[in-house]
Amino acid sequence: MSNDNKEDFNAVRTLLLASPPGQFDLILDELQTLLINRDPPVLTDDAISSIRNEYNSKTGNIVISSNKDPNEDNNSQDDISSALRKTIDKHVESRFKGKALSSGSKVTRSDDSYRINLYAERYDPNNFNAASWFAKYNLRLDAESDKKWILDGSVDLRSHVFENEGNFHYETTLNLDAVKLSCDGVEAENISKSVIQNIRRWEDDVILEHVRITFENIGDGALKTLRRVMPVTRTRFDWNVRTHQFAKTLTHDVNK
Amino acid sequence: MTTTTTVSTTFCINILNRLSFGGLEENVKALESLLPADDKNTARSLHEKFGTKLKLLTDPTCAKKFILHITNEEGSSYRSPWSNVYYSEFTLAVTENVGYMPSPSIREIECHANELFESYCHHYYGKKCVSSVYINDKEGEENGKEGFNAVFMLFKEVQNNSINCQGDTTSLSEGLWNSIHNFEVRQVQLDHGNKGKRTEFLYKLTSTVQLSMGLLPASIKGCELNNDDIPHIRGSLARCVERTHGLPDDSHVSALSHVAIMGKMIEELELDMRSNIDALYLQKAKEIICRVLLEKQVGKVLKHGIPNLNDPSGLMAALKKKQENLNSNALNAALLRRGKK
């Protein structure tokens, strides 16, 4: 790749990696039209594929896309992996299914620990909004007691509202405090049941509560710090130059 | 502007209208690098519409900051609205005879506008904000009698590095508010009615507000926020309005009137935009996150008269109650069947 071509590739990569949920292909279409006459072409199949893989891995979309993460081994068939897969699939089906929603989950094993990835994405162009929910949970044996299991994780939330000349993005990452599961031993059914109970509790009592609290009274809190609704005088500004010049003169005389 | 340039501009604007304001500078730079070298119009259009992070310079004559913009730019020098002098961006040396200088009548409007807009900004945004107004003569004209172009800009930044999640409400860890109000003012008709000569002007206002907030929600048990992961809301909103006003012919009075008319239009539009941001965009950003999790339940719950999608905890409480009712109904049915046996 020549230097110019490399710079163009990096520019395209920057733009595509910044795509909001569900809009990677829309931005790709715009770029393809913009660069239609570029020679040599920037958006080759290989280039698009590599950027798409990188985007999917970064955002969690890889869980539901057809791309395979080369670092993942999804073939573990031990009892715990199978039980977790069954339970998580059921959980996703019951909670993350809807009209404009795509969702999925993956369970992978690494030594004695398990990684559960859950991804849901919503893209609703008719109502000018999009969102994504990417949860990563880790299940491992407690180092102090090889019969106890510890579950922790994090969740990345993104939303995008683009109605009527507006373009607003909300992003947050929550790290979920580690919990010791109430079950112990290696009974797969019990472990998966306990895992899903904790995941549900996090979703209902921690994640949604965090979102609710973030936006509660935001107009009177964070937004007011930037711009008040009305001045302290509670009246609109007087745009008469004479009034302000007079007030300045008075202040100057008082300060003398 | 050629057709090709117009098409390129459209595609670039479509892309930037989707991407987050957080990476604006990087994204505008990336798009500019993809344009043909001779396409200066698209690059200029992108800067005018989206800008980049507003930069500031301090006028050494009055120690007042002013905003750097394409309107007051000439090479690497920028005209201060306070002293009407061009200063080099890098050395702050005065650079003479470099670029556009407003005519005396335009400069009069510009001075009044800067004085009043600064006071307006202090009332709404506090004393730490920076404001600048630049007014240019209409092309081919030098006294502003037939119209002019004006840009009112405001820059406010909040930097507070406290990551202490205490307290009951969400506060700001860092924030930014930029307003860019572009006016096109044109004389539309001369009225020689009984009340004397009056001139009518059409005021076309295009406003863009750019907003960025790093939030500190009240702490919740069970989770932790790192410095790099605090919730962020970033966005922009654009609006256009047009008004026609009649002004007396006395040039001094009309200068003050222009400023008052433009100022009131800005104030009204900013109020409307702030209200939209708070009541519509922010609330919707919250709602659609909740709908990712609760979409399947929304339809069922709405049937039972719980319409408030903006209160996910209320929604969850309603769902739990519904589940309890279902459980108790199932239990009653089971007991009845047992009784019949």
Side-chain angles (χ1 to χ4, degrees), chain A residues 23 30 38 95 122 159 163-164 167 169 171 175 177 210 213-214 219 225 227-229 237 239, chain B residues 11 17-19 34 125 156 170 220 222 224 226 232 234-236 239 267 274 281 284 293 295:
Chain A
Q23 294 163 70
E30 304 276 4
R38 188 61 63 94
R95 283 206 162 191
R122 177 195 168 94
S159 67
E163 193 169 355
N164 195 17
N167 177 21
H169 295 249
E171 291 170 1
N175 295 309
D177 294 344
H210 166 83
I213 284 178
T214 300
T225 308
R227 188 194 192 277
R228 304 179 64 87
V229 178
F237 186 73
W239 288 93
Chain B
F11 284 117
N17 274 340
R18 289 187 185 270
L19 302 183
L34 294 172
Y125 296 90
K156 175 163 181 184
T170 297
I220 305 168
E224 196 185 297
N226 296 330
H232 270 94
R234 296 181 180 101
S236 65
R239 288 285 185 270
E267 186 175 16
R274 191 211 186 273
Y281 293 95
K284 204 155 184 186
L293 178 64
E295 179 75 30

Side-chain angles (χ1 to χ4, degrees), chain A residues 10 25 65-66 84 92 94 97 102-103 108 114 119 154 179 186 189-190 199 209 211 217 223 230 238 249 256:
Chain A
N10 286 335
D25 286 303
S65 76
S66 54
L84 282 172
V92 167
S94 70
K97 284 288 183 220
S102 316
S103 57
T108 52
Y114 297 85
Y119 182 77
S154 67
V179 293
V186 291
E189 284 291 323
N190 288 345
I199 288 176
E209 188 63 9
V211 172
N217 295 325
L223 193 56
M230 290 294 277
D238 183 350
T249 319
K256 263 190 187 167

Side-chain angles (χ1 to χ4, degrees), chain B residues 115-177:
Chain B
E115 194 181 329
L116 275 177
F117 192 57
E118 185 187 41
S119 186
Y120 162 83
C121 292
H122 288 169
H123 276 69
Y124 278 98
Y125 296 90
K127 299 246 165 161
K128 287 187 181 171
C129 68
V130 177
S131 65
S132 297
V133 182
Y134 301 106
I135 303 188
N136 291 1
D137 292 282
K138 187 178 144 206
E139 224 171 283
E141 223 218 68
E142 276 192 8
N143 58 10
K145 279 207 162 160
E146 287 177 22
F148 52 85
N149 298 326
V151 58
F152 289 66
M153 288 182 289
L154 152 77
F155 173 89
K156 175 163 181 184
E157 198 169 27
V158 168
Q159 280 169 341
N160 173 1
N161 294 324
S162 164
I163 196 70
N164 193 11
C165 288
Q166 299 295 327
D168 294 332
T169 55
T170 297
S171 55
L172 208 62
S173 83
E174 43 154 15
L176 182 75
W177 180 296

